[in-house]
């Protein structure tokens, strides 16, 4: 190892909401840090990889970063552009200046020097080195796109995109578009496509809870007063009253409740923004799991044997993490899939000054708590 590295106390990797909350919390305690970000902007997921009509799914009190509430003038459900304005203001208020276009590709604890050694790829193929006593992984649950392997996909004649590349339904009018994945992104993008005149179908492979924005936020606030099982029972009941039995449209409800699934598997219930009505009116078709693409064509084969032609396939199939590719010796903190080894609320702290923020699959609220816990812990260690 060379010694030609920029030295600091804390190295934060990732300038999304979690990294920004961490930076602000460190700043408040006057702890020096460096924040590294592979893109050229903060919160790249919301800046560059989200569709135009996106609003935060949860009410604003659940989505604030550390130490700064949303402006009182903001509506309950914050739009993408308002969220970005808030984040810009946040970064300038706490004097956060990430080192952009620094893609961390290696990090290891140096036992001799008792420091983390971090290498980042920068523009023009160079590598920049950093050394710090503490390392905070804030690279997000959604750091890398995930598209499942589908037989014949590479030969599909139409367009293939991931939900992160989708902005709006403009340009898809009268096109036949297949959305794969019925999470929040898939359901909302299907609605947007259909609103723009695309002939839209959506693959709903596994059972899914559909709730309204209102009932989920109501449920979350009730959690403080009544047990989780009861909240889940109530949410399922509300869902039945609001949407009826959707199984005749190809949408099944899971046996377990929405909050339990959210907390245990990190899977959000789908918050209906109008898609259900379109499905009931037959304006959006529900299809079973994908089987393959007919070689060299634009015909898609489904699990139950039916075939349909499409002009485009949009994969709203989620994300994977890549920490295992660059973080050495982090096994006590993160598993192979990049999620914490320890259950919440003990998920954020590893060994040798290693931490993670925003990986507990509990949304922005817990990410802000992680950030404050980490900053306080570091403060206590260095004050000793
Ligand atoms: C469409 C969409 C809507 C969402 N809506 C909500 C919502 O309403 N409420 C909610 O709580 N959550 C929501 N989420 C979940 C959301 O991902 C998180 O809440 C939030 O983005 C987490 O912030 P983060 O900082 O942990 O991760 P991210 O926002 O993903 O930020 C991580 C940053 O790290 C950078 N990075 C990654 N790897 C490296 C590397 N090797 N080197 C340097 N930099 C790196 C990335 O470029 C990125 O900027 C939504 C997600 C999506 C995709
Ligand atoms: C396959 O599933 C679709 C959508 O659920 C349905 O319309 C079609 O009838 C099914 N075909 C067969 C052969 O079961």
């Amino acid at each position: 190892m060379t010694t030609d590295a920029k030295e600091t106390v804390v190295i934060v990797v990732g300038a999304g909401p979690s990294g920004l909350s961490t930076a602000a919390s460190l700043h408040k305690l006057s702890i020096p840090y460096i924040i590294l970000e592979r893109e050229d902007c903060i919160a790249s997921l919301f800046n560059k990889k989200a569709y135009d009509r996106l609003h935060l799914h949860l009410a604003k009190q659940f989505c604030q970063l550390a130490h700064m509430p949303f402006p009182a003038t903001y509506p309950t459900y914050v739009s993408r552009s308002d969220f970005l304005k808030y984040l810009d203001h946040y970064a300038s208020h706490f004097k956060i200046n990430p080192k952009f276009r620094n893609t961390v590709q290696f990090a290891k604890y140096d036992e001799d020097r008792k420091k983390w050694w971090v290498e980042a790829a920068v523009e023009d193929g160079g590598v920049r080195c950093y050394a710090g006593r503490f390392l905070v992984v804030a690279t997000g649950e959604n750091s890398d796109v995930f598209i499942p392997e589908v037989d014949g996909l590479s030969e599909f004649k139409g367009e293939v995109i991931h939900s992160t590349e989708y902005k709006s339904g403009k340009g898809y009018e009268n096109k036949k578009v297949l959305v794969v994945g019925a999470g929040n992104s898939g359901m909302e993008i299907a609605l947007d496509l259909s609103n723009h005149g695309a002939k839209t179908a959506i693959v709903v492979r596994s059972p899914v809870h559909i709730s309204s924005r209102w009932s989920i936020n109501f449920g979350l606030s009730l959690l403080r007063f009544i047990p989780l099982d009861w909240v889940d029972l109530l949410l399922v009941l509300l869902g039945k009253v609001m949407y009826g039995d959707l199984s005749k449209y190809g949408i099944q409800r899971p046996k377990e409740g929405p909050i339990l699934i959210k907390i245990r598997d990190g899977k959000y219930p789908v918050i209906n923004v109008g898609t259900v009505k379109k499905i009931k009116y037959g304006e959006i078709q529900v299809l079973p799991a994908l089987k393959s693409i007919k070689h060299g064509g634009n015909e898609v084969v489904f699990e139950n044997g039916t075939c349909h032609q499409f002009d485009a396939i949009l994969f709203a199939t989620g994300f994977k993490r890549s920490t295992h590719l660059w973080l050495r010796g982090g096994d006590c903190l993160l598993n192979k899939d990049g999620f914490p080894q320890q259950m919440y609320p003990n998920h954020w702290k590893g060994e040798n000054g290693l931490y993670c923020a925003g990986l507990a699959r509990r949304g922005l609220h817990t990410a802000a708590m992680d950030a404050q816990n980490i900053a306080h812990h570091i403060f206590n260690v260095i004050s000793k």
Side-chain angles (χ1 to χ4, degrees):
M1 280 185 191
T2 61
T3 46
D4 184 21
K6 184 131 181 46
E7 301 262 346
T8 185
V9 178
V10 188
I11 299 170
V12 180
V13 188
S18 305
L20 295 175
S21 277
T22 306
S25 305
L26 292 168
H27 173 83
K28 283 207 94 165
L29 297 170
S30 305
I31 303 169
Y33 69 89
I34 284 174
I35 176 165
L36 304 174
E37 167 58 53
R38 67 180 170 192
E39 301 284 343
D40 57 4
C41 60
I42 58 167
S44 62
L45 192 70
F46 290 94
N47 237 313
K48 294 185 166 176
K49 297 172 189 170
Y51 42 94
D52 295 341
R53 57 164 287 154
L54 177 75
H55 284 66
L56 295 180
H57 302 304
L58 298 183
K60 65 177 188 178
Q61 70 266 29
F62 300 115
C63 299
Q64 285 162 174
L65 273 63
H67 307 297
M68 188 193 280
F70 282 117
T73 52
Y74 271 29
T76 309
Y77 297 100
V78 177
S79 69
R80 171 173 167 264
S81 64
D82 278 347
F83 189 49
L84 288 172
K85 270 186 219 142
Y86 163 80
L87 294 175
D88 276 340
H89 175 66
Y90 188 92
S92 66
H93 180 84
F94 292 107
K95 303 187 171 55
I96 303 170
N97 291 304
K99 293 191 182 296
F100 292 119
R101 293 187 187 286
N102 272 255
T103 307
V104 171
Q105 52 179 15
F106 181 81
K108 189 173 190 269
Y109 187 66
D110 181 340
E111 291 282 354
D112 299 333
R113 299 175 65 217
K114 302 272 177 261
K115 278 191 173 178
W116 284 90
W117 178 268
V118 174
E119 295 177 6
V122 292
E123 275 161 294
D124 57 53
V127 173
R128 209 162 288 159
C129 302
Y130 301 90
R133 196 162 151 204
F134 304 93
L135 177 66
V136 182
V137 178
T139 43
E141 294 158 5
N142 305 329
S143 74
D144 293 45
V145 304
F146 172 73
I147 293 184
E149 272 180 41
V150 180
D151 183 35
L153 183 62
S154 58
E155 292 169 49
F156 181 68
K157 286 280 182 284
E159 184 192 6
V160 175
I161 65 168
H162 186 263
S163 57
T164 50
E165 298 164 86
Y166 179 86
K167 292 288 159 208
S168 90
K170 274 191 212 111
Y172 290 99
E173 199 182 328
N174 293 320
K175 293 218 167 121
K176 289 188 198 150
V177 187
L178 177 65
V179 175
V180 184
N184 276 300
S185 293
M187 290 291 248
E188 186 161 10
I189 289 173
L191 173 72
D192 193 52
L193 282 163
S194 177
N195 284 342
H196 281 86
K199 300 189 184 92
T200 312
I202 185 164
V203 169
V204 182
R205 196 182 51 173
S206 22
V208 55
H209 279 292
I210 299 190
S211 296
S212 69
R213 204 151 70 164
W214 169 84
S215 55
I216 282 297
N217 283 284
F218 178 58
L220 285 175
S221 12
L222 278 184
L223 270 187
R224 257 179 284 164
F225 311 109
I226 62 172
L228 191 150
D229 309 10
W230 295 15
V231 176
D232 266 348
L233 273 176
L234 184 71
L235 288 177
V236 169
L237 195 72
L238 280 170
K240 280 184 183 156
V241 171
M242 277 187 290
Y243 308 116
D245 177 17
L246 295 174
S247 62
K248 56 177 177 275
Y249 304 101
I251 300 176
Q252 315 288 336
R253 212 170 247 291
K255 290 198 176 63
E256 292 163 313
I259 305 272
L260 175 72
I261 293 178
K262 167 75 197 71
I263 285 174
R264 193 194 51 198
D265 310 335
K267 210 173 140 193
Y268 280 87
V270 168
I271 294 170
N272 178 43
V273 284
T275 317
V276 170
K277 200 165 158 193
K278 289 225 166 214
I279 289 173
K280 285 185 170 172
Y281 288 173
E283 290 168 33
I284 295 175
Q285 189 186 7
V286 175
L287 291 168
L290 275 191
K291 187 156 173 254
S292 61
I293 313 288
K294 278 209 177 146
H295 283 271
N298 60 354
E299 213 170 329
V300 178
V301 186
F302 295 87
E303 206 106 81
N304 72 354
T306 43
C307 286
H308 295 275
Q309 284 202 332
F310 290 98
D311 301 309
I313 306 178
L314 183 144
F315 283 93
T317 38
F319 299 86
K320 59 187 179 191
R321 287 128 308 273
S322 52
T323 30
H324 65 286
L325 297 176
W326 57 264
L327 181 61
R328 302 279 175 276
D331 311 357
C332 59
L333 182 68
L334 300 175
N335 65 23
K336 276 207 286 301
D337 196 14
F339 285 121
Q341 297 277 15
Q342 301 282 323
M343 296 278 285
Y344 170 91
N346 304 314
H347 58 281
W348 53 276
K349 188 161 69 72
E351 282 160 13
N352 298 325
L354 177 66
Y355 305 89
C356 66
L359 293 176
R361 295 193 279 189
R362 283 171 163 255
L364 292 160
H365 181 68
T366 302
M369 274 171 32
D370 291 347
Q372 294 173 71
N373 286 335
I374 292 167
H376 281 122
H377 194 265
I378 291 175
F379 183 79
N380 288 337
V381 173
I382 55 183
S383 314
K384 259 185 207 152

PDB file of all heavy atoms in Angstrom, residues 151-152 156-158 292-302 306-310 313:
ATOM      1  N   ASP A 151     -34.954 -16.167 -20.895  1.00  0.00           N
ATOM      2  CA  ASP A 151     -34.488 -16.845 -22.103  1.00  0.00           C
ATOM      3  C   ASP A 151     -34.930 -16.069 -23.349  1.00  0.00           C
ATOM      4  O   ASP A 151     -36.114 -15.777 -23.508  1.00  0.00           O
ATOM      5  CB  ASP A 151     -35.059 -18.277 -22.104  1.00  0.00           C
ATOM      6  CG  ASP A 151     -34.570 -19.079 -23.295  1.00  0.00           C
ATOM      7  OD1 ASP A 151     -33.403 -18.878 -23.699  1.00  0.00           O
ATOM      8  OD2 ASP A 151     -35.359 -19.887 -23.822  1.00  0.00           O
ATOM      9  N   GLY A 152     -33.984 -15.722 -24.190  1.00  0.00           N
ATOM     10  CA  GLY A 152     -34.305 -15.043 -25.458  1.00  0.00           C
ATOM     11  C   GLY A 152     -34.339 -13.520 -25.374  1.00  0.00           C
ATOM     12  O   GLY A 152     -34.515 -12.849 -26.390  1.00  0.00           O
ATOM     13  N   PHE A 156     -34.636  -9.907 -28.185  1.00  0.00           N
ATOM     14  CA  PHE A 156     -35.937  -9.240 -28.303  1.00  0.00           C
ATOM     15  C   PHE A 156     -35.829  -8.066 -29.272  1.00  0.00           C
ATOM     16  O   PHE A 156     -34.913  -7.250 -29.173  1.00  0.00           O
ATOM     17  CB  PHE A 156     -36.393  -8.765 -26.920  1.00  0.00           C
ATOM     18  CG  PHE A 156     -37.731  -8.074 -26.915  1.00  0.00           C
ATOM     19  CD1 PHE A 156     -38.897  -8.773 -27.196  1.00  0.00           C
ATOM     20  CD2 PHE A 156     -37.821  -6.713 -26.620  1.00  0.00           C
ATOM     21  CE1 PHE A 156     -40.131  -8.128 -27.184  1.00  0.00           C
ATOM     22  CE2 PHE A 156     -39.054  -6.061 -26.612  1.00  0.00           C
ATOM     23  CZ  PHE A 156     -40.213  -6.770 -26.898  1.00  0.00           C
ATOM     24  N   LYS A 157     -36.757  -7.988 -30.216  1.00  0.00           N
ATOM     25  CA  LYS A 157     -36.664  -6.977 -31.279  1.00  0.00           C
ATOM     26  C   LYS A 157     -37.079  -5.577 -30.820  1.00  0.00           C
ATOM     27  O   LYS A 157     -36.710  -4.577 -31.432  1.00  0.00           O
ATOM     28  CB  LYS A 157     -37.529  -7.384 -32.479  1.00  0.00           C
ATOM     29  CG  LYS A 157     -36.945  -8.519 -33.296  1.00  0.00           C
ATOM     30  CD  LYS A 157     -35.853  -8.000 -34.241  1.00  0.00           C
ATOM     31  CE  LYS A 157     -35.285  -9.093 -35.115  1.00  0.00           C
ATOM     32  NZ  LYS A 157     -34.361  -9.980 -34.366  1.00  0.00           N
ATOM     33  N   GLY A 158     -37.863  -5.511 -29.736  1.00  0.00           N
ATOM     34  CA  GLY A 158     -38.317  -4.190 -29.275  1.00  0.00           C
ATOM     35  C   GLY A 158     -37.350  -3.561 -28.294  1.00  0.00           C
ATOM     36  O   GLY A 158     -36.192  -3.969 -28.165  1.00  0.00           O
ATOM     37  N   SER A 292     -40.385 -16.848 -21.412  1.00  0.00           N
ATOM     38  CA  SER A 292     -39.272 -16.627 -22.339  1.00  0.00           C
ATOM     39  C   SER A 292     -39.684 -15.652 -23.425  1.00  0.00           C
ATOM     40  O   SER A 292     -40.851 -15.262 -23.509  1.00  0.00           O
ATOM     41  CB  SER A 292     -38.858 -17.960 -22.975  1.00  0.00           C
ATOM     42  OG  SER A 292     -39.960 -18.487 -23.692  1.00  0.00           O
ATOM     43  N   ILE A 293     -38.729 -15.285 -24.237  1.00  0.00           N
ATOM     44  CA  ILE A 293     -39.011 -14.461 -25.409  1.00  0.00           C
ATOM     45  C   ILE A 293     -38.762 -15.367 -26.616  1.00  0.00           C
ATOM     46  O   ILE A 293     -37.745 -16.061 -26.656  1.00  0.00           O
ATOM     47  CB  ILE A 293     -38.030 -13.252 -25.503  1.00  0.00           C
ATOM     48  CG1 ILE A 293     -37.887 -12.537 -24.166  1.00  0.00           C
ATOM     49  CG2 ILE A 293     -38.427 -12.324 -26.642  1.00  0.00           C
ATOM     50  CD1 ILE A 293     -39.040 -11.724 -23.701  1.00  0.00           C
ATOM     51  N   LYS A 294     -39.707 -15.360 -27.564  1.00  0.00           N
ATOM     52  CA  LYS A 294     -39.500 -16.202 -28.748  1.00  0.00           C
ATOM     53  C   LYS A 294     -38.274 -15.708 -29.486  1.00  0.00           C
ATOM     54  O   LYS A 294     -38.156 -14.520 -29.777  1.00  0.00           O
ATOM     55  CB  LYS A 294     -40.727 -16.175 -29.655  1.00  0.00           C
ATOM     56  CG  LYS A 294     -41.797 -17.124 -29.186  1.00  0.00           C
ATOM     57  CD  LYS A 294     -42.652 -17.653 -30.322  1.00  0.00           C
ATOM     58  CE  LYS A 294     -43.646 -18.667 -29.755  1.00  0.00           C
ATOM     59  NZ  LYS A 294     -44.931 -18.637 -30.464  1.00  0.00           N
ATOM     60  N   HIS A 295     -37.383 -16.607 -29.780  1.00  0.00           N
ATOM     61  CA  HIS A 295     -36.082 -16.200 -30.312  1.00  0.00           C
ATOM     62  C   HIS A 295     -36.188 -15.353 -31.566  1.00  0.00           C
ATOM     63  O   HIS A 295     -36.910 -15.684 -32.493  1.00  0.00           O
ATOM     64  CB  HIS A 295     -35.205 -17.435 -30.558  1.00  0.00           C
ATOM     65  CG  HIS A 295     -34.659 -17.954 -29.262  1.00  0.00           C
ATOM     66  ND1 HIS A 295     -33.471 -17.523 -28.735  1.00  0.00           N
ATOM     67  CD2 HIS A 295     -35.188 -18.796 -28.356  1.00  0.00           C
ATOM     68  CE1 HIS A 295     -33.267 -18.103 -27.582  1.00  0.00           C
ATOM     69  NE2 HIS A 295     -34.300 -18.885 -27.319  1.00  0.00           N
ATOM     70  N   GLY A 296     -35.515 -14.206 -31.502  1.00  0.00           N
ATOM     71  CA  GLY A 296     -35.428 -13.334 -32.664  1.00  0.00           C
ATOM     72  C   GLY A 296     -36.702 -12.565 -32.968  1.00  0.00           C
ATOM     73  O   GLY A 296     -36.823 -11.972 -34.035  1.00  0.00           O
ATOM     74  N   GLY A 297     -37.670 -12.541 -32.068  1.00  0.00           N
ATOM     75  CA  GLY A 297     -38.903 -11.831 -32.368  1.00  0.00           C
ATOM     76  C   GLY A 297     -39.267 -10.833 -31.305  1.00  0.00           C
ATOM     77  O   GLY A 297     -38.418 -10.398 -30.536  1.00  0.00           O
ATOM     78  N   ASN A 298     -40.553 -10.409 -31.304  1.00  0.00           N
ATOM     79  CA  ASN A 298     -40.981  -9.570 -30.196  1.00  0.00           C
ATOM     80  C   ASN A 298     -42.183 -10.181 -29.491  1.00  0.00           C
ATOM     81  O   ASN A 298     -43.037  -9.507 -28.967  1.00  0.00           O
ATOM     82  CB  ASN A 298     -41.227  -8.122 -30.638  1.00  0.00           C
ATOM     83  CG  ASN A 298     -42.312  -8.026 -31.696  1.00  0.00           C
ATOM     84  OD1 ASN A 298     -42.808  -9.048 -32.179  1.00  0.00           O
ATOM     85  ND2 ASN A 298     -42.686  -6.815 -32.038  1.00  0.00           N
ATOM     86  N   GLU A 299     -42.236 -11.524 -29.513  1.00  0.00           N
ATOM     87  CA  GLU A 299     -43.325 -12.237 -28.879  1.00  0.00           C
ATOM     88  C   GLU A 299     -42.864 -12.781 -27.531  1.00  0.00           C
ATOM     89  O   GLU A 299     -41.804 -13.403 -27.429  1.00  0.00           O
ATOM     90  CB  GLU A 299     -43.782 -13.384 -29.771  1.00  0.00           C
ATOM     91  CG  GLU A 299     -45.256 -13.641 -29.641  1.00  0.00           C
ATOM     92  CD  GLU A 299     -45.745 -14.620 -30.712  1.00  0.00           C
ATOM     93  OE1 GLU A 299     -45.177 -14.640 -31.815  1.00  0.00           O
ATOM     94  OE2 GLU A 299     -46.664 -15.361 -30.405  1.00  0.00           O
ATOM     95  N   VAL A 300     -43.688 -12.519 -26.515  1.00  0.00           N
ATOM     96  CA  VAL A 300     -43.341 -12.931 -25.161  1.00  0.00           C
ATOM     97  C   VAL A 300     -44.205 -14.128 -24.764  1.00  0.00           C
ATOM     98  O   VAL A 300     -45.422 -14.121 -24.980  1.00  0.00           O
ATOM     99  CB  VAL A 300     -43.565 -11.764 -24.169  1.00  0.00           C
ATOM    100  CG1 VAL A 300     -43.255 -12.199 -22.744  1.00  0.00           C
ATOM    101  CG2 VAL A 300     -42.714 -10.562 -24.567  1.00  0.00           C
ATOM    102  N   VAL A 301     -43.553 -15.138 -24.198  1.00  0.00           N
ATOM    103  CA  VAL A 301     -44.277 -16.337 -23.766  1.00  0.00           C
ATOM    104  C   VAL A 301     -44.443 -16.281 -22.250  1.00  0.00           C
ATOM    105  O   VAL A 301     -43.481 -15.997 -21.531  1.00  0.00           O
ATOM    106  CB  VAL A 301     -43.496 -17.621 -24.139  1.00  0.00           C
ATOM    107  CG1 VAL A 301     -44.328 -18.871 -23.811  1.00  0.00           C
ATOM    108  CG2 VAL A 301     -43.090 -17.595 -25.608  1.00  0.00           C
ATOM    109  N   PHE A 302     -45.677 -16.543 -21.776  1.00  0.00           N
ATOM    110  CA  PHE A 302     -45.943 -16.497 -20.343  1.00  0.00           C
ATOM    111  C   PHE A 302     -46.036 -17.902 -19.761  1.00  0.00           C
ATOM    112  O   PHE A 302     -46.222 -18.871 -20.493  1.00  0.00           O
ATOM    113  CB  PHE A 302     -47.208 -15.675 -20.074  1.00  0.00           C
ATOM    114  CG  PHE A 302     -47.008 -14.237 -20.455  1.00  0.00           C
ATOM    115  CD1 PHE A 302     -47.238 -13.815 -21.761  1.00  0.00           C
ATOM    116  CD2 PHE A 302     -46.527 -13.335 -19.531  1.00  0.00           C
ATOM    117  CE1 PHE A 302     -47.003 -12.496 -22.126  1.00  0.00           C
ATOM    118  CE2 PHE A 302     -46.289 -12.017 -19.888  1.00  0.00           C
ATOM    119  CZ  PHE A 302     -46.526 -11.596 -21.190  1.00  0.00           C
ATOM    120  N   THR A 306     -49.627 -18.749 -22.705  1.00  0.00           N
ATOM    121  CA  THR A 306     -50.072 -17.734 -23.674  1.00  0.00           C
ATOM    122  C   THR A 306     -48.902 -16.916 -24.203  1.00  0.00           C
ATOM    123  O   THR A 306     -47.882 -16.775 -23.545  1.00  0.00           O
ATOM    124  CB  THR A 306     -51.104 -16.746 -23.062  1.00  0.00           C
ATOM    125  OG1 THR A 306     -50.652 -16.390 -21.767  1.00  0.00           O
ATOM    126  CG2 THR A 306     -52.481 -17.336 -22.999  1.00  0.00           C
ATOM    127  N   CYS A 307     -49.097 -16.352 -25.409  1.00  0.00           N
ATOM    128  CA  CYS A 307     -48.079 -15.511 -26.048  1.00  0.00           C
ATOM    129  C   CYS A 307     -48.682 -14.170 -26.414  1.00  0.00           C
ATOM    130  O   CYS A 307     -49.840 -14.095 -26.801  1.00  0.00           O
ATOM    131  CB  CYS A 307     -47.644 -16.137 -27.375  1.00  0.00           C
ATOM    132  SG  CYS A 307     -46.608 -17.534 -27.217  1.00  0.00           S
ATOM    133  N   HIS A 308     -47.920 -13.101 -26.244  1.00  0.00           N
ATOM    134  CA  HIS A 308     -48.367 -11.779 -26.690  1.00  0.00           C
ATOM    135  C   HIS A 308     -47.191 -11.047 -27.309  1.00  0.00           C
ATOM    136  O   HIS A 308     -46.051 -11.227 -26.884  1.00  0.00           O
ATOM    137  CB  HIS A 308     -48.889 -10.945 -25.513  1.00  0.00           C
ATOM    138  CG  HIS A 308     -50.108 -11.493 -24.868  1.00  0.00           C
ATOM    139  ND1 HIS A 308     -51.376 -11.242 -25.314  1.00  0.00           N
ATOM    140  CD2 HIS A 308     -50.253 -12.286 -23.781  1.00  0.00           C
ATOM    141  CE1 HIS A 308     -52.261 -11.840 -24.539  1.00  0.00           C
ATOM    142  NE2 HIS A 308     -51.597 -12.498 -23.596  1.00  0.00           N
ATOM    143  N   GLN A 309     -47.517 -10.166 -28.277  1.00  0.00           N
ATOM    144  CA  GLN A 309     -46.454  -9.350 -28.882  1.00  0.00           C
ATOM    145  C   GLN A 309     -46.347  -8.019 -28.148  1.00  0.00           C
ATOM    146  O   GLN A 309     -47.359  -7.460 -27.735  1.00  0.00           O
ATOM    147  CB  GLN A 309     -46.803  -9.076 -30.342  1.00  0.00           C
ATOM    148  CG  GLN A 309     -46.559 -10.280 -31.208  1.00  0.00           C
ATOM    149  CD  GLN A 309     -46.393  -9.894 -32.661  1.00  0.00           C
ATOM    150  OE1 GLN A 309     -46.934  -8.883 -33.105  1.00  0.00           O
ATOM    151  NE2 GLN A 309     -45.661 -10.708 -33.402  1.00  0.00           N
ATOM    152  N   PHE A 310     -45.132  -7.534 -28.013  1.00  0.00           N
ATOM    153  CA  PHE A 310     -44.930  -6.223 -27.390  1.00  0.00           C
ATOM    154  C   PHE A 310     -43.894  -5.413 -28.165  1.00  0.00           C
ATOM    155  O   PHE A 310     -42.982  -5.969 -28.767  1.00  0.00           O
ATOM    156  CB  PHE A 310     -44.460  -6.382 -25.938  1.00  0.00           C
ATOM    157  CG  PHE A 310     -45.537  -6.924 -25.043  1.00  0.00           C
ATOM    158  CD1 PHE A 310     -45.573  -8.281 -24.727  1.00  0.00           C
ATOM    159  CD2 PHE A 310     -46.524  -6.085 -24.539  1.00  0.00           C
ATOM    160  CE1 PHE A 310     -46.591  -8.785 -23.922  1.00  0.00           C
ATOM    161  CE2 PHE A 310     -47.538  -6.588 -23.738  1.00  0.00           C
ATOM    162  CZ  PHE A 310     -47.573  -7.941 -23.424  1.00  0.00           C
ATOM    163  N   ILE A 313     -40.457  -3.769 -23.443  1.00  0.00           N
ATOM    164  CA  ILE A 313     -40.580  -4.418 -22.136  1.00  0.00           C
ATOM    165  C   ILE A 313     -39.870  -3.528 -21.129  1.00  0.00           C
ATOM    166  O   ILE A 313     -38.723  -3.128 -21.340  1.00  0.00           O
ATOM    167  CB  ILE A 313     -39.923  -5.816 -22.111  1.00  0.00           C
ATOM    168  CG1 ILE A 313     -40.477  -6.695 -23.227  1.00  0.00           C
ATOM    169  CG2 ILE A 313     -40.146  -6.489 -20.761  1.00  0.00           C
ATOM    170  CD1 ILE A 313     -39.842  -8.076 -23.292  1.00  0.00           C
TER     171      ILE A 313
END
